[in-house]
Amino acid sequence: MWRISALSSMGVGAQCMAGPSNPTLGLRRGLCVSAAGSVADRGAESEGGLDKAGPGDTKRGVGGKVRPFEEIPHTGSSGWVNLVKFWREDKFRLLHKHMERTFGTLGPIYRERLGSQSSVNIMLPSDISELFRSEGMHPRRMTLQPWATHRETRQHSKGVFLKNGAEWRADRILLNKEVMVSAAVSRFLPCLDEVARDFCLMLRARLESEGRREDGSCDLTLDPSPDLFRFALEASCHVLYGERIGLFSSSPSQESQQFIWAVERMLATTPPLLYLPSRLLHHIGAPLWTQHATAWDHIFSHAEARIQKGYQRLFVPQAGGAKAGATGAKFTGVLRQLMERGQLSLELIRANITELMAGGVDTTAIPLQFALFELGRNPEVQERVRQQVRASWAQAGGEAQKALQGAPLLKGLVKETLRLYPVGITVQRYPIRDIVIQNYHIPAGTLVQACLYPLGRSRQVFQEPERFDPGRWGAQKEVGREGAGFRSLAFGFGARQCVGRRIAENEMQLLLMHILLSFRLSVSSSVDLSTKYTIILQPEVPPRITFSTL
């Protein structure tokens, strides 16, 4: 969930391209019987309207045929009525809860229309597996039109997040070499480790200054969210630009604070714009559109200043003549790597680096808030992870990458946090062929969403889903489970998974490792956190954590 691909996980879809009214993609009669059950002729409904299947039930048709698309349970046939109800009842803010309740009522598959937008929503790993088998060579997810309109009206190139087709694939392959493959991780991981260590030094200094007790111990209760946002931005800049921007100083730069504000403003103004014509709002200068576009302009300006600096440094001879990518040379950032290779134009580099930066703050800082809270209210889990981290750290001799490899509970800790609190609450695909899910026919081109919040809390999928257990992700525990590879999808799946996934995973694991080596965490209340959804899932109120020196 670090990166901007997580943000495509909006809970509603782009307009269904292949609904049952499309004659070119109409329902095929006589489809073979699926494993989920038998088939129904078009229009077969119970006398009382659509019959409802409870969770896990299979809806079976008559005559041994797959049931038609129109019979998928739905939340109402009028998209505009649904949209008005959503706005009136403030359902967008609790969209994740709405999805969970709807699955509980309608069963493991349902349709939803909001305005002109339509999607089919699913949640079971076996169904999600079927969806991803039909994604094709160029997987496509819904486009966030307000973002695309900003690029078009400002004449900016689009990065891989907003692209589709062969053009997306070509750019994505080049980016993978710099941020996804193991060699790239080895290059940038020391940058993340440096920032994580400095964060803990800053926090320790604060505890000693503000929380020292008479017996010499130190503890301090605080809202860590502002510091976590600064950590995420500092880490992103170090990896992407190869430079530190000094956010752990007592007076961080106004420019960096404005960048964080711009990202938050951009995210906050995106949801209402999804249901309104962005081009028209741009044309009339609507205040909501102006706020959104201005926030993006700040984000691009922040990135542009650093890209220009990076471009200038590229032509300054390195001391000793070492190339940035040479063995033993200090890593100088993804930006420089891309410029040196020269396979992407400067404009495309700018587009992709800006998207990575915009998706690298809130989507990392917020899961870290949840992780610290869960460690604080589960002291036995905290101690178990700490003991493994200590042993691995000692065995690795303080080498960060080896320490992570020897502490699988850290990876489980991140996965378990994202199971309960997925940053983006859906992963979407448009299947390239007709498919059958839960014994319903779904035409090619239909937007289908895998809903992560209900998935992560489902008793059908997880034993004791309310229990926070990083150990549940051990390799042996996953063997033999149906759809095991599709139970953790916070970073997406396959070729279109989050392009910043490796940065995100390592960034969060390293910070949690150094925190556990340095501090004991506790919370004053073990009551579940209330959550809200804007374009990402976050706490209604950031949790307060007590940090105590070990």
Side-chain angles (χ1 to χ4, degrees):
M1 46 64 221
W2 175 70
R3 305 304 170 197
I4 207 156
S5 60
L7 305 185
S8 69
S9 303
M10 298 302 296
V12 293
Q15 185 169 4
C16 175
M17 297 181 63
S21 62
N22 188 330
T24 65
L25 295 170
L27 181 66
R28 298 176 183 173
R29 294 181 178 273
L31 289 171
C32 63
V33 176
S34 73
S38 53
V39 184
D41 285 324
R42 175 187 292 272
E45 296 181 4
S46 62
E47 290 184 9
L50 290 173
D51 50 328
K52 297 178 180 179
D57 292 348
T58 297
K59 304 215 20 179
R60 296 182 179 273
V62 294
K65 296 179 182 178
V66 171
R67 301 189 72 161
F69 179 87
E70 295 89 342
E71 289 190 15
I72 297 174
H74 60 78
T75 58
S77 57
S78 173
W80 298 109
V81 171
N82 289 345
L83 183 60
V84 170
K85 286 177 64 177
F86 260 67
W87 274 331
R88 181 181 298 159
E89 298 172 15
D90 199 21
K91 285 186 178 180
F92 288 117
R93 191 176 60 86
L94 297 175
L95 188 57
H96 54 302
K97 296 288 189 181
H98 163 77
M99 289 177 170
E100 187 177 37
R101 287 193 301 269
T102 305
F103 281 118
T105 302
L106 299 182
I109 183 171
Y110 71 90
R111 287 187 291 134
E112 184 136 68
R113 291 191 62 88
L114 291 174
S116 61
Q117 300 181 353
S118 176
S119 67
V120 172
N121 294 346
I122 59 177
M123 59 160 281
L124 295 180
S126 56
D127 295 337
I128 297 169
S129 171
E130 176 64 27
L131 171 64
F132 285 129
R133 279 198 292 268
S134 65
E135 66 177 6
M137 281 283 292
H138 304 131
R140 192 163 63 91
R141 60 185 176 217
M142 65 173 287
T143 297
L144 296 184
Q145 195 54 50
W147 299 12
T149 299
H150 173 267
R151 307 303 189 272
E152 293 158 6
T153 57
R154 297 298 197 264
Q155 297 184 328
H156 292 321
S157 292
K158 295 174 182 176
V160 293
F161 179 72
L162 293 171
K163 283 185 174 179
N164 287 299
E167 187 181 19
W168 159 80
R169 188 174 185 83
D171 290 357
R172 177 62 192 253
I173 288 171
L174 296 175
L175 287 173
N176 283 351
K177 296 176 182 178
E178 307 306 331
V179 295
M180 287 291 284
V181 300
S182 58
V185 174
S186 296
R187 288 195 298 267
F188 65 65
L189 192 138
C191 298
L192 297 174
D193 187 53
E194 177 187 313
V195 179
R197 289 173 186 251
D198 288 351
F199 177 93
C200 289
L201 288 175
M202 174 199 71
L203 188 56
R204 179 175 289 275
R206 186 172 174 187
L207 260 68
E208 292 176 351
S209 171
E210 302 176 29
R212 183 170 292 279
R213 296 183 176 275
E214 292 181 1
D215 62 1
S217 65
C218 300
D219 64 71
L220 188 64
T221 301
L222 54 92
D223 166 13
S225 59
D227 292 325
L228 292 173
F229 282 114
R230 287 195 286 271
F231 162 76
L233 180 54
E234 185 82 13
S236 295
C237 284
H238 202 13
V239 170
L240 296 178
Y241 302 133
E243 66 172 282
R244 297 290 298 270
I245 57 175
L247 284 177
F248 297 157
S249 67
S250 57
S251 55
S253 71
Q254 186 66 26
E255 177 196 20
S256 297
Q257 297 285 45
Q258 286 179 344
F259 178 84
I260 294 173
W261 170 87
V263 171
E264 292 175 345
R265 175 51 41 188
M266 177 272 291
L267 295 175
T269 53
T270 296
L273 288 170
L274 289 174
Y275 311 98
L276 300 169
S278 299
R279 282 276 182 179
L280 176 61
L281 297 179
H282 163 72
H283 181 70
I284 65 176
L288 182 62
W289 171 257
T290 300
Q291 290 180 42
H292 184 75
T294 300
W296 268 120
D297 291 342
H298 275 298
I299 294 167
F300 268 84
S301 295
H302 183 273
E304 179 66 21
R306 276 155 183 79
I307 290 170
Q308 289 300 324
K309 285 172 64 177
Y311 188 77
Q312 292 166 10
R313 283 198 304 266
L314 183 60
F315 295 99
V316 176
Q318 297 286 310
K323 295 286 284 183
T327 302
K330 182 180 179 181
F331 181 62
T332 53
V334 172
L335 172 63
R336 174 142 184 167
Q337 297 279 332
L338 290 170
M339 287 179 171
E340 283 189 337
R341 297 189 192 282
Q343 295 174 300
L344 282 175
S345 69
L346 187 60
E347 185 62 26
L348 287 177
I349 290 173
R350 179 175 77 156
N352 284 291
I353 289 290
T354 303
E355 287 183 0
L356 284 167
M357 278 300 303
V361 181
D362 294 57
T363 53
T364 300
I366 289 172
L368 285 168
Q369 291 179 44
F370 286 124
L372 295 178
F373 169 76
E374 289 292 350
L375 288 170
R377 76 166 176 170
N378 292 281
E380 70 291 341
V381 172
Q382 180 184 161
E383 194 56 35
R384 188 162 68 247
V385 180
R386 179 181 290 109
Q387 291 305 318
Q388 188 181 85
V389 165
R390 278 177 168 167
S392 181
W393 181 255
Q395 189 172 3
E399 186 177 333
Q401 191 162 16
K402 286 184 179 179
L404 292 185
Q405 292 168 351
L409 282 177
L410 277 174
K411 187 171 186 178
L413 171 58
V414 171
K415 291 180 76 171
E416 186 73 344
T417 300
L418 294 173
R419 173 182 73 86
L420 290 171
Y421 312 101
V423 177
I425 60 175
T426 72
V427 177
Q428 319 95 25
R429 290 294 187 271
Y430 297 86
I432 63 170
R433 58 177 174 81
D434 290 14
I435 58 176
V436 175
I437 293 180
Q438 288 292 318
N439 206 44
Y440 290 102
H441 170 247
I442 299 176
T446 302
L447 177 67
V448 184
Q449 301 191 114
C451 300
L452 305 188
Y453 186 88
L455 162 66
R457 293 167 181 261
S458 170
R459 294 186 179 278
Q460 295 173 255
V461 182
F462 295 98
Q463 291 183 351
E464 299 181 85
E466 69 284 353
R467 183 166 57 92
F468 187 77
D469 179 17
R472 76 168 76 238
W473 298 102
Q476 292 182 342
K477 294 186 178 182
E478 290 289 281
V479 173
R481 288 183 177 274
E482 183 181 12
F486 299 91
R487 301 195 314 147
S488 178
L489 294 169
F491 291 103
F493 174 81
R496 192 120 204 188
Q497 67 184 292
C498 173
V499 70
R501 175 176 188 161
R502 302 305 176 206
I503 302 175
E505 289 174 329
N506 287 286
E507 185 177 326
M508 289 190 282
Q509 288 178 52
L510 284 166
L511 183 63
L512 291 168
M513 178 179 74
H514 286 297
I515 285 176
L516 287 169
L517 288 170
S518 303
F519 308 102
R520 180 169 286 105
L521 310 171
S522 59
V523 293
S524 60
S525 172
S526 61
V527 175
D528 288 348
L529 289 176
S530 296
T531 52
K532 63 181 179 181
Y533 182 74
T534 53
I535 194 174
I536 56 179
L537 190 68
Q538 56 189 300
E540 284 274 10
V541 178
R544 293 180 64 80
I545 312 292
T546 298
F547 293 82
S548 305
T549 53
L550 293 173

